[in-house]
Amino acid sequence: MDKEVKIAVLGLGVVANGLVENLTAAKEKIKQQTGLTFSIAKVLVRSKENKKKQAEKHQLVLTTEFDEILEDSDIAIVVELIGGIHPAKEWIAQALQHKKHVVTANKDLIAQFGNELTAIAEENNVSLFYEASVAGGIPILQTLNSSFIADEITEIQGILNGTTNFMLTQMTEAEISYDEVLKTAQSAGFAESDPTNDVDGWDAAYKLMILVRLAFSKDLSLNDVQIKGIREITQTDIFYAQKFGYQIKLLAQAEKVSGEIYAAVSPVLISQTHPLALVKNEMNAVFIESEAIGSSMLYGPGAGASPTAASVVTDILKIAQNMIDSSQALQMSTSDLPSCKIHEEMTSSYYLLLSDCKVDLPAFLEKQQITPVFFKQQPKNTGAAFITNQLTVEQKNSLLEQLQQVSHIKQILSVWGK
Amino acid sequence: MDKEVKIAVLGLGVVANGLVENLTAAKEKIKQQTGLTFSIAKVLVRSKENKKKQAEKHQLVLTTEFDEILEDSDIAIVVELIGGIHPAKEWIAQALQHKKHVVTANKDLIAQFGNELTAIAEENNVSLFYEASVAGGIPILQTLNSSFIADEITEIQGILNGTTNFMLTQMTEAEISYDEVLKTAQSAGFAESDPTNDVDGWDAAYKLMILVRLAFSKDLSLNDVQIKGIREITQTDIFYAQKFGYQIKLLAQAEKVSGEIYAAVSPVLISQTHPLALVKNEMNAVFIESEAIGSSMLYGPGAGASPTAASVVTDILKIAQNMIDSSQALQMSTSDLPSCKIHEEMTSSYYLLLSDCKVDLPAFLEKQQITPVFFKQQPKNTGAAFITNQLTVEQKNSLLEQLQQVSHIKQILSVWGK
């Protein structure tokens, strides 16, 4: 089955460059293993002049008009790598309506408009694939779609944002402050000048929405994710977490609780003996609990031109092979998923950091029927850090109320894991 | 595409039972997501009487005659779960010749006769799939075949044997001896009464052969794997490894070195900060280095009825979907792979444990131009443990020769990682 598949790429930034290089380098290997030849027919850019050198290097045909791609009937697959919502959404919709398969790495778009766009793909019997939108180089979406079809996922957790994981790792290992590490990450081009999307947890929440769609066949709305970022994490928190045997990580988690889904993105304490604790710097990982397989984890780079491009290529190959074998287009998920019923409150143990404590804290906690698992009080008895036993939300709220009367609560974080 | 696919299962042991239960439990979900219905048409057993209860529970049709399966033209897929080489090999060959797809979890068989059996599958345009043969519930083979098609793998490492990993973990955490933990593992039915296959590294070597086939498209012969088991590992070794910041793990590894492949199964020291160090007890993991993606890892249960059955179901689903979509049968690898050129010798740093040391060891090592990275000498100066800098094989041999003249070398292990 020797076939040539023509691709158009929207955008010529770092990932698009990675894609061009990867497809060029792997051309022979792909042909040998699949019988397919891929060629990039057109690349949409804002200005031909700015991208002239890159175009010459890889003999790319540039265009500034999306319509030229839309109307080129030889182009079977459109790869969207411009990011953002507009005009990416409109272009993807039009490409699908013109019976072109679409591959995208655009998590914001897929999280918010994935169902709508998938519906257009279904109507037109073409595929919309987006492996690279979650956890860059990790093939998590295709794994959810293949290895877990006959299984039942009960929990999924991810370290999904490389920027915050880099920051927390550096705060731990290089012992530098949040502000310092943010500057380092920004000057290395690793964090945006406005870091909101990363540090406040929005990026991880978008990715969690996509994971939930594939893991639970449910539609999770952004409003239903309890989101807390890492701005308030200090070196003192990291110091005590380590002393107690934990790492602080920004964890995205979704868990089935009696037919409902609990969904949250928040900094949590993870035991140093759990595989997620060793996911460092810009690496990502997704941890899954399921009925048949039990515990499993996929680990890999969360971003970067080359790993992201590798995931895009995997999508392209899958679409192309299906194009040849089948008249029915594949989708990553269906467009008509039922909404999640949301479980708001979880039992958890908590890490607490106090200052200005006016009482004998161990005696006070005993009175509140709290049995701290770990406990450290500073010499002069006004500051303390401890980890509670498992508390219901009611118990936690009652504890906080009591503590506020006798001390200043500087930090409270969930401890993840049973 | 509503289709019913009939399956025959050879054997009705724990994995087969897991398969029956998994397929029954997931029937509706599979149908909904793929349009396919699977039914187990016949199960081959040695004695119908012994399996009567199980058969009644799941309404299974038992047979003691393989020919009844072979000649049942409704049966599209045969799942081999009896293990061992004979008669599994002959039955798989016959099933393939009768145009039936085959799924197996039989690593010994696939490692040794995978090419031969794949050739028969290719000739008959049916599939031979064996996801469950390596690392039980981890979808490592399909990931190698999909996510890495356009990538170039340079190294692959695995903790592939659950029994030895359980033993080493218990020796580390419960501080019990090799002999004690072996007895525990045996009485829990976790290790065989003759543990050779696990503790001497053969099981991991077979799995490595299969991994190499998919990761490097090369045929690795068992004779070309440098195999060393865990029988000689003592608690003293584990004590020092931990003191130096390492875990001892039985690691299967294959690495490209200037066009050749270095392949080994041996107990090595892995840094406690590497994700492989947290793979505990019966869990397995495969770590991959590749050009495009960089570092990635898959982690999950290495054995057990339910995870293994889940991998078998993944194979069954893939074969069935391909049956419907395409006239060309898929294979996990081709039968005509070129042989590996073997790279025998690797630069490495080493952990050494000495007794009866008759010299001032630091001075002695300095004279040998060895700069130990970690060093511990016992008070009375006759025993010592240390980790060397990176040594070529020549340098290592020269060091050992010199050390033998002044001390007793109780242990030498490679330290894995750069």
Side-chain angles (χ1 to χ4, degrees):
Chain A
M1 51 163 189
D2 272 27
K3 290 263 179 177
E4 194 180 349
V5 179
K6 286 196 192 292
I7 298 169
V9 182
L10 312 185
L12 193 50
V14 283
V15 175
N17 255 309
L19 175 66
V20 171
E21 277 168 18
N22 187 318
L23 275 182
T24 310
K27 198 162 190 162
E28 274 313 301
K29 194 179 166 207
I30 293 173
K31 193 175 175 185
Q32 196 185 322
Q33 299 215 355
T34 66
L36 296 167
T37 311
F38 292 91
S39 63
I40 296 174
K42 286 196 177 76
V43 179
L44 183 74
V45 292
R46 281 217 196 101
S47 145
K48 287 191 192 179
E49 198 50 38
N50 290 349
K51 301 287 182 182
K52 209 174 152 185
K53 266 196 184 160
Q54 283 161 264
E56 275 170 12
K57 188 178 165 197
H58 293 289
Q59 297 168 293
L60 300 172
V61 178
L62 301 181
T63 173
T64 55
E65 300 302 321
F66 178 61
D67 283 352
E68 277 191 32
I69 287 167
L70 217 49
E71 280 151 23
D72 184 338
S73 59
D74 287 345
I75 291 171
I77 303 175
V78 173
V79 181
E80 183 273 305
L81 295 172
I82 53 171
I85 303 296
H86 306 288
K89 186 184 169 216
E90 292 73 20
W91 286 351
I92 288 177
Q94 288 177 49
L96 295 169
Q97 281 153 353
H98 281 72
K99 315 284 180 202
K100 298 185 192 307
H101 306 279
V102 172
V103 174
T104 174
N106 192 329
K107 64 191 162 294
D108 302 33
L109 180 63
I110 291 298
Q112 295 176 79
F113 301 101
N115 290 342
E116 186 182 318
L117 292 171
T118 300
I120 302 175
E122 287 167 345
E123 276 164 34
N124 291 281
N125 194 32
V126 284
S127 298
L128 172 64
F129 270 37
Y130 41 86
E131 179 64 71
S133 67
V134 181
I138 304 177
I140 178 63
L141 303 186
Q142 72 163 36
T143 302
L144 289 173
N145 267 345
S146 59
S147 301
F148 291 91
I149 293 187
D151 201 348
E152 196 69 36
I153 294 173
T154 53
E155 294 179 30
I156 189 159
Q157 284 94 18
I159 294 175
L160 301 176
N161 180 269
T163 305
T164 49
N165 202 48
F166 171 82
M167 290 171 67
L168 291 170
T169 305
Q170 291 303 311
M171 285 172 74
T172 306
E173 296 188 349
E175 296 182 21
I176 52 178
S177 72
Y178 175 89
D179 291 330
E180 281 173 278
V181 75
L182 180 58
K183 269 182 215 150
T184 310
Q186 281 168 331
S187 65
F190 206 60
E192 315 269 331
S193 55
D194 175 6
T196 307
N197 207 23
D198 293 319
V199 301
D200 288 339
W202 300 105
D203 174 82
Y206 283 138
K207 291 168 180 166
L208 183 66
M209 291 164 67
I210 301 173
L211 282 184
V212 163
R213 217 172 274 165
L214 277 81
F216 298 123
S217 298
K218 291 268 163 62
D219 198 38
L220 174 67
S221 133
L222 186 62
N223 293 333
D224 287 333
V225 186
Q226 299 181 28
I227 304 176
K228 182 176 166 180
I230 66 160
R231 285 187 204 257
E232 311 291 318
I233 304 295
T234 68
Q235 281 173 280
T236 311
D237 299 320
I238 286 175
F239 170 82
Y240 281 116
Q242 288 210 292
K243 214 172 181 66
F244 296 155
Y246 296 88
Q247 298 287 344
I248 297 181
K249 297 280 178 195
L250 184 69
L251 194 72
Q253 52 179 321
E255 194 171 323
K256 270 191 202 161
V257 191
S258 39
E260 300 177 331
I261 306 276
Y262 169 79
V265 171
S266 56
V268 299
L269 277 72
I270 298 180
S271 165
Q272 277 162 4
T273 62
H274 192 282
L276 282 172
L278 280 190
V279 179
K280 290 184 181 177
N281 292 316
E282 74 284 9
M283 297 306 272
N284 278 197
V286 180
F287 199 87
I288 301 165
E289 286 286 343
S290 66
E291 297 288 351
I293 295 177
S295 305
S296 55
M297 184 175 93
L298 280 82
Y299 163 98
S306 177
T308 308
S311 281
V312 170
V313 171
T314 305
D315 281 354
I316 292 175
L317 284 171
K318 195 154 283 179
I319 289 173
Q321 282 174 314
N322 189 67
M323 260 165 60
I324 289 161
D325 286 344
S326 170
S327 56
Q328 169 120 32
L330 292 172
Q331 302 301 340
M332 281 195 151
S333 71
T334 55
S335 62
D336 55 348
L337 297 173
S339 294
C340 286
K341 277 187 199 163
I342 291 300
H343 192 85
E344 301 270 0
E345 299 176 345
M346 292 287 280
T347 297
S348 174
S349 75
Y350 296 91
Y351 154 85
L352 279 142
L353 180 70
L354 308 181
S355 65
D356 302 320
C357 187
K358 297 175 191 75
V359 290
D360 173 5
L361 197 58
F364 177 88
L365 290 174
E366 203 184 332
K367 213 176 134 198
Q368 304 295 321
Q369 294 181 304
I370 302 292
T371 327
V373 184
F374 295 98
F375 186 86
K376 273 280 162 188
Q377 190 150 22
Q378 281 147 26
K380 281 185 181 168
N381 203 26
T382 64
F386 60 95
I387 289 178
T388 70
N389 49 319
Q390 291 279 327
L391 304 176
T392 63
V393 174
E394 215 164 63
Q395 287 172 317
K396 179 195 74 170
N397 291 340
S398 150
L399 171 65
L400 292 183
E401 204 175 290
Q402 298 297 324
L403 274 175
Q404 270 156 358
Q405 295 172 18
V406 297
S407 69
H408 174 57
I409 299 171
K410 293 184 76 173
Q411 183 63 279
I412 173 166
L413 299 172
S414 285
V415 177
W416 176 74
K418 269 101 207 175
Chain B
M1 48 163 189
D2 274 25
K3 291 264 180 176
E4 194 180 351
V5 179
K6 285 195 192 293
I7 298 169
V9 181
L10 313 186
L12 193 49
V14 284
V15 175
N17 255 309
L19 175 65
V20 171
E21 278 169 17
N22 188 317
L23 275 181
T24 311
K27 197 163 189 160
E28 272 314 300
K29 195 179 166 207
I30 293 174
K31 194 178 172 181
Q32 197 186 318
Q33 299 216 354
T34 66
L36 296 168
T37 311
F38 292 92
S39 63
I40 297 175
K42 286 195 178 77
V43 179
L44 183 73
V45 293
R46 278 215 197 104
S47 145
K48 287 189 190 179
E49 199 48 39
N50 291 349
K51 302 287 182 183
K52 209 174 152 186
K53 269 197 182 159
Q54 282 160 266
E56 275 169 11
K57 188 179 166 198
H58 293 288
Q59 296 168 294
L60 300 172
V61 178
L62 302 182
T63 174
T64 56
E65 300 301 320
F66 179 61
D67 282 353
E68 277 190 31
I69 288 167
L70 217 49
E71 280 150 25
D72 184 338
S73 59
D74 287 346
I75 291 170
I77 302 176
V78 173
V79 181
E80 183 273 308
L81 295 172
I82 51 169
I85 302 297
H86 307 288
K89 186 184 169 214
E90 292 72 21
W91 285 351
I92 288 177
Q94 286 176 50
L96 296 169
Q97 281 152 353
H98 280 72
K99 315 283 180 204
K100 297 184 191 311
H101 305 278
V102 172
V103 174
T104 175
N106 192 329
K107 63 190 162 291
D108 302 31
L109 181 63
I110 292 299
Q112 296 175 77
F113 300 102
N115 289 343
E116 185 181 320
L117 291 170
T118 300
I120 300 174
E122 287 167 347
E123 276 163 34
N124 291 281
N125 194 33
V126 283
S127 297
L128 172 65
F129 270 38
Y130 42 86
E131 180 63 70
S133 67
V134 181
I138 305 176
I140 178 64
L141 302 186
Q142 73 164 35
T143 302
L144 289 173
N145 267 345
S146 59
S147 302
F148 292 91
I149 292 186
D151 200 349
E152 196 70 35
I153 295 174
T154 53
E155 293 178 32
I156 189 159
Q157 284 94 19
I159 294 174
L160 302 175
N161 181 270
T163 305
T164 49
N165 202 49
F166 172 80
M167 290 172 67
L168 290 170
T169 305
Q170 291 303 310
M171 284 173 74
T172 306
E173 296 188 349
E175 297 184 21
I176 51 178
S177 72
Y178 174 89
D179 291 329
E180 281 172 277
V181 74
L182 180 58
K183 269 182 215 151
T184 311
Q186 281 168 334
S187 66
F190 207 61
E192 313 269 330
S193 55
D194 174 7
T196 307
N197 207 25
D198 293 319
V199 300
D200 288 339
W202 300 104
D203 175 82
Y206 282 138
K207 291 167 179 167
L208 183 65
M209 289 164 66
I210 300 173
L211 283 183
V212 163
R213 218 174 274 164
L214 277 81
F216 297 123
S217 299
K218 290 270 163 62
D219 197 37
L220 174 66
S221 133
L222 186 62
N223 293 332
D224 287 333
V225 186
Q226 300 181 27
I227 304 175
K228 181 174 166 181
I230 66 159
R231 286 188 204 255
E232 312 290 319
I233 305 294
T234 68
Q235 281 174 277
T236 311
D237 299 320
I238 286 175
F239 170 82
Y240 281 116
Q242 288 209 290
K243 212 172 182 68
F244 296 154
Y246 296 88
Q247 298 287 345
I248 297 181
K249 296 281 179 195
L250 183 69
L251 194 72
Q253 51 178 322
E255 194 171 323
K256 270 192 201 159
V257 191
S258 39
E260 300 177 331
I261 306 276
Y262 169 79
V265 171
S266 55
V268 299
L269 277 71
I270 298 180
S271 165
Q272 277 161 3
T273 62
H274 192 280
L276 282 173
L278 280 190
V279 179
K280 289 183 181 178
N281 291 316
E282 73 285 9
M283 298 305 272
N284 278 195
V286 180
F287 199 87
I288 301 165
E289 286 288 343
S290 65
E291 297 287 351
I293 296 177
S295 305
S296 54
M297 184 174 91
L298 281 83
Y299 163 99
S306 178
T308 308
S311 281
V312 169
V313 171
T314 305
D315 281 353
I316 291 174
L317 285 170
K318 195 153 282 179
I319 289 174
Q321 283 174 315
N322 188 67
M323 258 165 61
I324 288 162
D325 287 344
S326 169
S327 56
Q328 170 122 29
L330 292 171
Q331 303 300 341
M332 281 195 150
S333 72
T334 55
S335 62
D336 56 348
L337 297 172
S339 295
C340 286
K341 277 186 200 163
I342 292 301
H343 191 84
E344 302 271 0
E345 300 175 344
M346 292 286 280
T347 297
S348 174
S349 74
Y350 296 90
Y351 155 83
L352 278 142
L353 179 70
L354 307 181
S355 65
D356 301 321
C357 187
K358 297 175 191 75
V359 291
D360 173 5
L361 198 57
F364 177 88
L365 290 174
E366 203 185 331
K367 213 176 135 196
Q368 305 294 322
Q369 293 180 304
I370 303 292
T371 326
V373 183
F374 295 100
F375 185 87
K376 273 279 163 191
Q377 191 148 21
Q378 282 146 25
K380 281 187 181 166
N381 203 27
T382 64
F386 59 96
I387 288 178
T388 70
N389 49 322
Q390 291 279 328
L391 304 177
T392 63
V393 174
E394 214 165 62
Q395 287 172 317
K396 179 194 74 169
N397 290 340
S398 148
L399 172 65
L400 292 183
E401 204 176 290
Q402 298 296 323
L403 276 175
Q404 268 156 357
Q405 295 173 16
V406 298
S407 69
H408 174 58
I409 300 171
K410 292 184 77 175
Q411 183 65 279
I412 173 165
L413 298 171
S414 285
V415 176
W416 176 73
K418 267 102 207 175

